[in-house]
Amino acid sequence: MGMTDKQFNAFVRFLLDDMEEIEAEENEEKRAKKIRKVIEHLRDTLED
């Protein structure tokens, strides 16, 4: 099943928000955990 343009834009906004949160994180351990979480979410999305 494909995405509409609005659905894709919403997905990109969520991803951008996560990446900006990671960028602002000063603690390297927390940053690594957040990156791992985003990677897992992206992988889960591809498997759906």
Side-chain angles (χ1 to χ4, degrees), residues 7-31:
Q7 289 170 324
F8 179 74
N9 287 345
F11 172 76
V12 171
R13 280 189 199 96
F14 282 121
L15 183 58
L16 181 60
D17 185 55
D18 286 344
M19 298 305 291
E20 287 174 340
E21 184 178 323
I22 291 167
E23 182 180 44
E25 180 60 62
E26 294 180 11
N27 182 299
E28 287 298 321
E29 186 175 331
K30 286 182 181 180
R31 182 180 289 183

Side-chain angles (χ1 to χ4, degrees), residues 31-48:
R31 182 180 289 183
K33 285 181 182 180
K34 289 179 181 185
I35 290 171
R36 175 58 37 204
K37 185 177 176 182
V38 169
I39 290 169
E40 290 172 7
H41 287 165
L42 290 171
R43 193 166 278 135
D44 289 346
T45 300
L46 288 174
E47 292 174 359
D48 284 348

